[in-house]
Amino acid sequence: MLKLKGFLRIPKTAESLDVSPNPLRNWESAGKWESVGKIVATRHPVNDDPRFRTEDLDLLLQKMERPPRQRKAK
């Protein structure tokens, strides 16, 4: 059975990413997370609500904190 400890609902995930819950819902339902290599939702086994793994969210936040690569001057 899927353990839900370590998973966040959309409102808490949106708060962590500093975005509104509505775009997060739209991205999740459109599958945009997968297409851009971000985090993927897991569905709750009873009510089918999306849940996001805290580990995936932590990795995404770490990527967001890194400065973009600098191009070397020719």
Side-chain angles (χ1 to χ4, degrees), residues 8-19 24 39 52 57:
L8 298 176
R9 296 175 66 201
I10 283 183
K12 198 67 172 169
T13 303
E15 179 182 321
S16 298
L17 293 173
D18 197 27
V19 297
L24 188 60
I39 57 178
F52 296 92
L57 181 59

Side-chain angles (χ1 to χ4, degrees), residues 16-47:
S16 298
L17 293 173
D18 197 27
V19 297
S20 169
N22 288 336
L24 188 60
R25 283 184 186 96
N26 293 338
W27 299 338
E28 191 279 323
S29 64
K32 289 194 176 186
W33 287 108
E34 294 175 41
S35 65
V36 293
K38 303 290 187 207
I39 57 178
V40 178
T42 299
R43 293 293 179 163
H44 188 283
V46 175
N47 61 16

Side-chain angles (χ1 to χ4, degrees), residues 55-68:
E55 293 174 15
D56 293 341
L57 181 59
D58 290 342
L59 288 172
L60 177 61
L61 291 170
Q62 286 175 6
K63 287 179 187 178
M64 291 171 60
E65 289 177 356
R66 287 189 205 145

